[in-house]
Amino acid sequence: MQAVILAAGQSSRFWPLNQKNKSLIKIMGKPLIWYTINSLKEAGIKEIIIVQGSKKDIEKELSSLKINSLKIKYVVQPEPKGMGNALLSARDFLNDQFLLLDVARVEAGSYLESLLEKQKKTGAGLILLGARTVNPQLYGVFRMEEDIVKEVVEKPEKGQEPSDIKNVVVQLLPKEFIDYLRRVPEEVYSFENALSLYAREKDIRMVMLDKEPSSLKYPWHLFETMKYLFDSFLKKKISKSARIAKNAIIQGDVYIGDNVKIFEGAVIKGPCYVGDNCVVGNNSLVREYTNLENKALIGSLAEVTRSIFQEDAHCHSGYFGDSIFGKSCRLGAGNITANIKIDRGEIRVTVNGKKISTGLKSLGCLIGENTKTGIHCSFMPGVLIGANCQIGPGSIVFENIEDNSVHFIGFKGIKE
């Protein structure tokens, strides 16, 4: 069995964390795509074809990781022209049947057995995976007759959804599907159009999941993915080379890597991951699903909860809740991330000029890599701040700030 991983998208909806492919965001020391590959390996997949973009950043990252007993081939999709074009890029390497999946499906391998069982039971050549969703407008949605897929409608208008069952993008495809792709006009949604064409002429069946799995369309979806990975893989460990003060407190499932320094009075309450060469300062509290990648630093008198710090991200004193900080961010003393609205209602985020429902009542700020903030900055719930920004001291940030901007009191989003 082969698997084809689609990893060539620009991850535009993943801003401000899209300086590289979203699958290269790290959780517990490894990029998300590593978990996807490992899941496929555990399911018995022997060969993987990865369709990547022209940067070849996926190939560069994976070259430094050991992935044994798997044959991996890389294909470049020069321009992000949708799933259909991406799959056509890999057509010369396909066998008679293959598993196709989105790059961020870290649990994909667990679905393979159900897909194969459905195929054996029905004799259908093409098997899709579906799940009910409360936001069908964000996905490809199935028109169904029992377990038979009759059509795939991409991002239907509200009130015009054929069902509330979305395409999970873990699917068992025959090589003949390539012929159907060639028969439809090339466009962003040619893949979905080819599925609908196939459904008119042949049998497509669906395996229904009990609940909607995590997805990575938007950056705040990382929290759900992190929780899944922590619950599945996090193991309690304290490296022998870690230097931990006698009165520091470590409770629950906490991983502490090599050469970590945890100073006097610090408290870490798991589940938490603390990577190599991290620092947790005096009297700081790190708790509940917090991920600190290598060289992250939590300064004295800080509280961090349910947050993700990428490599070399540093904060001083303050509160950091339900937030994500890109590689090499620097957060000044007294910074506060507000993560709950005054009315305790759902937090909506502005993406490409439109307000998007997050389904979350707790969400802090999401900051791209290399951004620096001065002292006593405050960030309102759901604010997105781009990469390579400078936020001046005393700033209160109510709205998104673009990449490469300078933001001081009285000025908003001024590009350098």
Side-chain angles (χ1 to χ4, degrees):
M1 176 68 68
Q2 286 178 311
V4 178
I5 299 177
L6 303 179
Q10 290 182 315
S11 306
S12 59
R13 287 173 296 194
F14 220 67
W15 183 83
L17 306 176
N18 64 343
Q19 285 73 48
K20 53 188 177 182
N21 189 278
K22 63 185 178 183
S23 70
L24 298 181
I25 295 287
K26 288 186 177 179
I27 300 293
M28 294 191 293
K30 294 183 175 62
L32 294 178
I33 191 171
W34 183 91
Y35 294 101
T36 301
I37 291 171
N38 188 64
S39 176
L40 296 172
K41 176 183 173 182
E42 293 294 320
I45 297 291
K46 300 298 184 184
E47 182 177 340
I48 295 176
I49 301 166
I50 299 177
V51 182
Q52 61 181 334
S54 55
K55 290 182 181 179
K56 298 184 178 180
D57 50 356
I58 302 287
E59 187 172 356
K60 291 174 185 175
E61 181 72 31
L62 291 180
S63 65
S64 64
L65 298 174
K66 291 182 179 180
I67 303 175
N68 299 322
S69 69
L70 268 180
K71 185 177 182 181
I72 299 179
K73 299 177 181 177
Y74 296 95
V75 176
V76 172
Q77 183 187 22
E79 298 178 44
K81 294 182 177 180
M83 286 179 58
N85 181 267
L87 182 54
L88 286 173
S89 300
R91 62 186 179 274
D92 292 339
F93 299 100
L94 298 177
N95 293 335
D96 293 338
Q97 181 174 252
F98 57 94
L99 189 70
L100 181 72
L101 62 145
D102 176 69
V103 65
R105 287 286 163 210
V106 296
E107 78 292 6
S110 64
Y111 305 132
L112 180 58
E113 184 177 355
S114 296
L115 294 171
L116 290 170
E117 285 180 358
K118 175 67 77 168
Q119 184 180 59
K120 183 177 180 180
K121 181 178 178 180
T122 64
L126 201 158
I127 312 292
L128 303 179
L129 195 66
R132 295 193 183 279
T133 178
V134 296
N135 294 305
Q137 300 82 23
L138 299 179
Y139 306 99
V141 179
F142 300 146
R143 181 170 66 84
M144 304 290 304
E145 290 182 7
E146 296 182 347
D147 68 337
I148 302 174
V149 178
K150 290 296 185 180
E151 185 182 14
V152 182
V153 180
E154 184 66 25
K155 296 181 178 63
E157 294 291 331
K158 192 167 181 128
Q160 300 181 18
E161 307 93 340
S163 74
D164 63 349
I165 302 173
K166 74 172 188 178
N167 183 7
V168 177
V169 194
V170 179
Q171 39 211 245
L172 200 59
L173 299 177
K175 188 175 182 180
E176 67 171 348
F177 182 73
I178 296 296
D179 297 330
Y180 287 82
L181 270 175
R182 287 171 169 159
R183 288 170 57 186
V184 300
E186 184 174 354
E187 57 167 292
V188 173
Y189 299 129
S190 60
F191 183 86
E192 291 76 13
N193 295 336
L195 283 176
S196 295
L197 175 61
Y198 191 99
R200 291 196 291 271
E201 298 182 5
K202 294 196 172 185
D203 193 6
I204 297 181
R205 298 298 177 111
M206 183 200 68
V207 173
M208 186 73 170
L209 296 178
D210 294 333
K211 64 177 182 178
E212 184 178 5
S214 61
S215 92
L216 272 182
K217 281 189 175 293
Y218 296 105
W220 55 87
H221 291 156
L222 271 170
F223 295 114
E224 189 176 0
T225 298
M226 176 179 66
K227 186 177 187 303
Y228 168 81
L229 293 174
F230 270 36
D231 292 345
S232 301
F233 300 111
L234 182 64
K235 295 181 179 179
K236 184 175 182 178
K237 174 188 172 182
I238 299 178
S239 171
K240 292 181 179 179
S241 62
R243 294 167 56 188
I244 301 173
K246 290 183 179 179
N247 67 342
I249 298 173
I250 300 173
Q251 296 178 347
D253 292 331
V254 177
Y255 177 100
I256 297 178
D258 295 338
N259 303 310
V260 169
K261 297 178 182 179
I262 300 177
F263 285 85
E264 289 78 7
V267 178
I268 304 178
K269 295 185 177 182
C272 289
Y273 175 88
V274 182
D276 297 343
N277 302 296
C278 287
V279 175
V280 179
N282 297 78
N283 302 306
S284 287
L285 172 60
V286 178
R287 61 184 176 93
E288 293 176 0
Y289 292 98
T290 288
N291 183 87
L292 306 179
E293 289 299 318
N294 293 349
K295 298 183 180 179
L297 183 148
I298 308 301
S300 299
L301 303 172
E303 180 179 357
V304 181
T305 182
R306 299 182 302 275
S307 292
I308 299 171
F309 284 67
Q310 290 296 283
E311 294 168 300
D312 193 42
H314 293 191
C315 71
H316 209 292
S317 60
Y319 176 75
F320 309 93
D322 302 287
S323 298
I324 304 175
F325 304 100
K327 184 177 181 180
S328 299
C329 280
R330 296 290 185 270
L331 308 169
N335 278 205
I336 300 291
T337 63
N339 58 339
I340 299 175
K341 293 173 62 177
I342 292 177
D343 63 5
R344 274 35 180 187
E346 179 186 353
I347 296 170
R348 292 165 61 84
V349 175
T350 302
V351 178
N352 296 325
K354 296 181 180 180
K355 284 286 188 180
I356 300 293
S357 296
T358 66
L360 302 174
K361 292 187 177 181
S362 296
L363 179 62
C365 68
L366 312 178
I367 301 181
E369 62 184 34
N370 298 314
T371 284
K372 298 175 176 61
T373 72
I375 62 171
H376 301 302
C377 292
S378 299
F379 306 92
M380 295 302 104
V383 164
L384 309 181
I385 298 173
N388 306 304
C389 292
Q390 295 181 39
I391 313 298
S395 295
I396 302 177
V397 182
F398 287 91
E399 299 179 1
N400 294 352
I401 297 176
E402 296 180 10
D403 293 339
N404 308 305
S405 295
V406 177
H407 180 109
F408 286 90
I409 297 173
F411 297 91
K412 181 175 65 179
I414 307 299
K415 282 196 171 186
E416 288 185 308

